[in-house]
Amino acid sequence: MRRAVLVCIALSASLATSHAAEWRVQQVNSPARVTAIETVDGKTQVDAGGLWYALAIDGKRAQLDYIDRVPKPKLPGGALPDGRVAIGTRDIARAWLAEPTARYDHGILGDKIEAGSLVIEMRDGKRQAVRLKDDAVFEDLQPRLADLDGSGHDSIIVVKSSLKRGSSLAVIAERKGKYEIVAETPPLGGPHRWLNPAGIADFNGDGKIDIALVRQPHVVGELELWAWRAGDLRKTAGIADTANHVAGTRAINMSATADFDGNGIADLAIPSLDRSRLRLISFAPTAHDIANVALPQKAVTNFGLVEIEGGPPAVAVGLADGSLVIVRRD
């Protein structure tokens, strides 16, 4: 019996190693130092030396093609200066963070100006604002829209930070014609403790939307999965050794969601806590690594996805030495 168990363990380890070995790092030639990656209309764009390029993959070749980048849309009046507008496809037309305030001195996102309110604009142009009291801020750059309960109506997911108790993930939804905070994860327990959302999708294959976040991505790095159940948020999974942000930067999208293992269920690409490795994580049927790939340098930019014919998308990331790589399956 003991021999059979050892054989099974060895076989499992061999299969896992073989599966992970299918993923590799590929260097992408860049005309200058890469400083940022953004996703625009589903396409990955790369800032190299202050100019913008589209990242394209043709077979084994990956290249940057120069583009005349569309100017950044003008922010609505009163919006957070470095914020972004979320564009909806359901009942919410737009949503953005507003009422800049300096009442919280954390500065994790590059400055000490955070948002005191969230503005929701409906399809008919009417607006509502969710305002926080003086003991909290929205410590985020862009709200996220998602139909959490399958009702056809969007909720808004955003990071809320208490000046004394730290961050929580807040869900804002309409109740009796008024938008308000309807659920929050427990605050992290002290000031200057922050969390960063990593993805919103059905990660465990149960047909319902989950929210992935990283608790304190600079020092703790706990990847947590939260599910919307009966009008509340419930933690359903946790996995250590992850990060999705560099302290003091505005790169809050250092993760990517796609079906990397081909089983029809969304997975998550995210760095390890020290950002020296790229992890592809599945939560179905339980949390495990699809692959864990060493990077030549630490990841420092947002992630981008690039479609590859006949296989899962590649993950693009800028590194600490200014180089650009993609992680792709052979």
Side-chain angles (χ1 to χ4, degrees):
M1 176 64 73
R2 182 173 179 273
R3 182 172 180 273
V5 170
L6 291 175
V7 169
C8 288
I9 292 173
L11 180 59
S12 297
S14 175
L15 289 173
T17 302
S18 174
H19 193 64
E22 295 177 358
W23 290 84
R24 65 180 177 87
V25 175
Q26 179 179 339
Q27 195 87 21
V28 181
N29 291 330
S30 171
R33 184 181 182 88
V34 170
T35 56
I37 292 178
E38 292 186 7
T39 300
V40 180
D41 297 328
K43 303 296 183 181
T44 295
Q45 297 185 0
V46 178
D47 182 342
L51 299 177
W52 286 89
Y53 299 81
L55 177 58
I57 298 178
D58 183 9
K60 297 294 183 181
R61 184 185 179 198
Q63 66 182 41
L64 294 176
D65 298 324
Y66 174 72
I67 56 175
D68 290 323
R69 193 164 184 263
V70 178
K72 186 177 179 180
K74 184 178 179 180
L75 290 171
L80 190 69
D82 56 353
R84 298 188 180 186
V85 177
I87 305 299
T89 59
R90 299 181 180 89
D91 47 340
I92 297 175
R94 302 190 300 168
W96 61 91
L97 297 166
E99 298 185 23
T101 175
R103 63 177 177 249
Y104 189 42
D105 64 352
H106 191 193
I108 200 67
L109 295 172
D111 59 35
K112 296 182 181 180
I113 304 298
E114 309 302 343
S117 72
L118 171 76
V119 179
I120 302 110
E121 183 177 273
M122 309 307 294
R123 289 287 162 199
D124 59 6
K126 293 181 180 179
R127 295 179 179 178
Q128 290 191 35
V130 177
R131 289 184 172 86
L132 297 176
K133 296 180 180 179
D134 290 345
D135 63 350
V137 296
F138 290 120
E139 195 175 13
D140 212 332
L141 297 178
Q142 178 177 334
R144 300 148 195 85
L145 304 179
D147 179 7
L148 295 179
D149 58 7
S151 66
H153 301 284
D154 273 330
S155 297
I156 304 108
I157 296 94
V158 67
V159 178
K160 174 190 170 186
S161 293
S162 163
L163 276 58
K164 293 183 177 180
R165 297 183 297 152
S167 296
S168 60
L169 186 80
V171 174
I172 295 170
E174 186 180 22
R175 295 291 185 268
K176 298 180 179 180
K178 181 182 179 181
Y179 280 89
E180 58 187 31
I181 296 175
V182 297
E184 295 181 59
T185 60
L188 296 182
H192 299 176
R193 297 179 184 179
W194 184 71
L195 61 83
N196 190 25
I200 302 174
D202 175 12
F203 286 111
N204 56 18
D206 66 355
K208 299 178 181 179
I209 298 297
D210 306 295
I211 305 170
L213 63 85
V214 179
R215 178 166 57 89
Q216 294 181 259
H218 317 110
V219 292
V220 175
E222 180 80 9
L223 176 62
E224 299 177 348
L225 203 64
W226 290 79
W228 184 255
R229 298 289 186 273
D232 202 0
L233 289 166
R234 299 180 184 177
K235 183 179 174 181
T236 59
I239 185 169
D241 189 26
T242 63
N244 61 344
H245 183 250
V246 179
T249 74
R250 293 179 173 85
I252 62 171
N253 297 314
M254 194 178 286
S255 59
T257 299
D259 179 10
F260 294 112
D261 58 7
N263 67 352
I265 300 172
D267 308 306
L268 193 66
I270 197 164
S272 59
L273 178 58
D274 64 3
R275 293 180 283 111
S276 69
R277 306 182 68 85
L278 187 144
R279 300 180 65 183
L280 301 178
I281 298 174
S282 169
F283 288 93
T286 57
H288 65 278
D289 278 16
I290 300 165
N292 193 320
V293 183
L295 299 171
Q297 294 279 329
K298 291 187 177 184
V300 296
T301 70
N302 289 335
F303 282 11
L305 291 176
V306 187
E307 294 299 323
I308 296 180
E309 186 177 356
V315 181
V317 58
L319 304 181
D321 62 355
S323 63
L324 175 67
V325 298
I326 58 172
V327 177
R328 63 185 296 174
R329 194 177 72 184
D330 284 332

